[in-house]
Amino acid sequence: QKNGFDTYMLKEINEQPHVIQETLRGRIFEHSIVLDELKDVDFNKFNKVYYVACGTAYHAGLCGASILERATRLPVLTQVASEFRYNDPIIDEKTLCIFVSQSGETADTLAALKLANEKGCTTIAVTNVLGSTISREAQHTLYTCAGPEIAVASTKAYTTQLVLLTLIALYIADKRGDTVDTDLMEQLNNLPEYVSKLIDDEAIFENYAKTLKDKHDCYFIGRSLDYASVLEGALKLKEVSYVHADAYIAGELKHGPIALIEPGTVVIAVATQPHVAAKTISNIQETIARGAEVILFTVEGQEVSGVENIYYLPNINPLLQSVLVAIPLQLIAYHTACIKGCDVDKPRNLAKSVTVE
Ligand code: F6R
């Protein structure tokens, strides 16, 4: 069942071009987005949107929220389900709540969804499992088409969530009368090809993993949408390789975390968002001055000086960069774990579906 791959995680990483294609299939038609599952929703009645999820799905929610907020200028919040359910959120019939869950069975996400239904919100579920409890409880359900995800660490479910959440954000913007970038839709269609090319560069990312194999810590930095990407990169690294990893907003470095940087500390930086990329790069230089070994992911054409390990991502629409940079970050985590001899498909202490809180 591993299709010739050593592990499910590697198989699932390699399936991403195909499952992204499946998730897009039939949902973009002549420069407009078709989501029949949402055709009965009046998107003009909302004054606030919440994205609620746990773990990796929460990171996908952060990206979806940022895209929706930029496109609609509606206030959009993202919250971890275990906080949302106990924090007496200010929600009512004018609130749209979007729940993201690969398994559709996560206890906290389900409880948060039930709360939103009780409070009269409109609820939408984004899940990967047909007929799952969350898919049945939500008023509207959309499926990622990732196929069964066996490895405990989520990879293809995450990138298909990013794609579907982007489609939903653009759909909502269109229904509310906001202008939607048609160029972005075209590039969505090209994502499978870009992702495939990144997977072809696996040997480069395996090489980066060698820098990490003897390290106890690794810091990830990014700003704006890249912050969600580095949160996910750090989560992936810690869960499969047990290297302690933290993600910081690059602008926060000076407010404390930079105290942790010493000669040999590995810093993985993501700078794909044009409005803040130069700022992140200047933060990187501050870490290099203190002896950090930096790996930078940025886009072709971005000016960079003084950084040794740079990987240039294709310069596509910045809103889609989270999908691209997910691939190298997954492969770095994967290869670090393999080099260290960890059981990548079944990391210690973790379960695929967290059905108790
Ligand atoms: C990390 C991972 C977890 C899940 C989280 C939510 O790789 O898989 O963080 O994302 O437990 O699970 P779902 O999406 O099934 O609700």
Side-chain angles (χ1 to χ4, degrees):
Q1 294 141 304
K2 291 182 195 155
N3 275 357
F5 291 99
D6 290 343
T7 60
Y8 282 109
M9 186 174 172
L10 191 59
K11 169 181 174 268
E12 289 162 6
I13 289 173
N14 277 273
E15 281 171 350
Q16 289 175 110
H18 174 67
V19 295
I20 289 172
Q21 183 86 66
E22 288 302 302
T23 302
L24 288 166
R25 189 182 298 282
R27 286 172 165 161
I28 301 180
F29 185 70
E30 286 179 357
H31 295 303
S32 67
I33 292 174
V34 188
L35 296 176
D36 282 344
E37 302 91 329
L38 300 179
K39 65 179 189 309
D40 300 330
V41 183
D42 169 17
F43 286 102
N44 283 305
K45 74 174 186 188
F46 303 118
N47 59 16
K48 188 200 292 183
V49 184
Y50 256 109
Y51 284 72
V52 182
C54 301
T56 289
Y58 167 72
H59 300 151
L62 283 171
C63 291
S66 177
I67 295 171
L68 182 68
E69 190 170 74
R70 288 191 215 188
T72 62
R73 306 308 293 161
L74 264 173
V76 183
L77 298 128
T78 314
Q79 204 159 47
V80 166
S82 57
E83 290 292 300
F84 179 90
R85 66 181 288 200
Y86 293 120
N87 278 354
D88 193 13
I90 305 167
I91 50 175
D92 56 27
E93 53 292 329
K94 286 190 174 156
T95 314
L96 170 65
C97 290
I98 302 178
F99 297 85
V100 190
S101 173
Q102 187 283 129
S103 62
E105 301 297 343
T106 299
D108 282 320
T109 311
L110 177 60
L113 165 59
K114 286 183 175 162
L115 174 68
N117 278 336
E118 276 162 29
K119 296 273 186 183
C121 308
T122 297
T123 58
I124 297 177
V126 168
T127 178
N128 194 40
V129 180
L130 221 79
S132 55
T133 315
I134 287 173
S135 78
R136 285 184 276 111
E137 286 285 333
Q139 294 155 24
H140 310 273
T141 297
L142 292 98
Y143 291 101
T144 47
C145 305
E149 194 179 57
I150 310 292
V152 166
S154 184
T155 54
K156 60 176 182 168
Y158 172 65
T159 47
T160 54
Q161 282 162 358
L162 291 175
V163 167
L164 185 48
L165 290 174
T166 305
L167 291 173
I168 294 172
L170 299 180
Y171 180 87
I172 295 176
D174 183 48
K175 294 292 164 211
R176 288 175 55 87
D178 298 300
T179 16
V180 175
D181 187 350
T182 47
D183 174 53
L184 178 59
M185 293 199 208
E186 207 129 292
Q187 294 193 354
L188 268 164
N189 274 324
N190 295 333
L191 274 177
E193 201 183 315
Y194 287 120
V195 167
S196 182
K197 287 196 181 128
L198 283 160
I199 295 173
D200 289 344
D201 278 348
E202 181 176 356
I204 299 176
F205 312 130
E206 184 173 359
N207 224 22
Y208 291 158
K210 290 180 187 149
T211 341
L212 279 166
K213 72 174 189 330
D214 300 316
K215 306 285 182 187
H216 294 292
D217 310 288
C218 174
Y219 301 106
F220 287 74
I221 59 170
R223 290 172 185 245
S224 183
L225 265 187
D226 292 332
Y227 176 56
S229 296
V230 293
L231 280 170
E232 175 58 12
L235 176 65
K236 220 79 305 172
L237 183 66
K238 66 188 134 191
E239 70 181 326
V240 298
S241 77
Y242 315 138
V243 173
H244 164 248
D246 260 336
Y248 297 109
I249 294 171
E252 281 291 286
L253 267 187
K254 276 196 180 69
H255 300 281
I258 200 155
L260 295 163
I261 307 294
E262 52 184 13
T265 306
V266 177
V267 174
I268 298 183
V270 178
T272 69
Q273 303 297 301
H275 64 302
V276 285
K279 302 274 174 207
T280 302
I281 291 165
S282 123
N283 297 124
I284 296 167
Q285 276 140 0
E286 289 157 10
T287 69
I288 293 175
R290 288 159 182 83
E293 291 173 23
V294 171
I295 299 166
L296 168 64
F297 292 94
T298 188
V299 293
E300 285 160 356
Q302 176 66 46
E303 232 174 88
V304 188
S305 61
V307 184
E308 232 171 87
N309 292 316
I310 310 178
Y311 185 87
Y312 289 98
L313 297 155
N315 195 354
I316 63 168
N317 192 301
L319 297 181
L320 301 178
Q321 289 291 353
S322 331
V323 180
L324 301 192
V325 79
I327 311 301
L329 298 183
Q330 291 166 357
L331 285 165
I332 290 174
Y334 176 78
H335 283 290
T336 307
C338 290
I339 296 167
K340 293 181 69 181
C342 304
D343 182 351
V344 284
D345 284 341
K346 283 195 171 55
R348 66 187 179 208
N349 309 337
L350 293 174
K352 184 67 190 160
S353 176
V354 185
T355 52
V356 289
E357 63 170 300

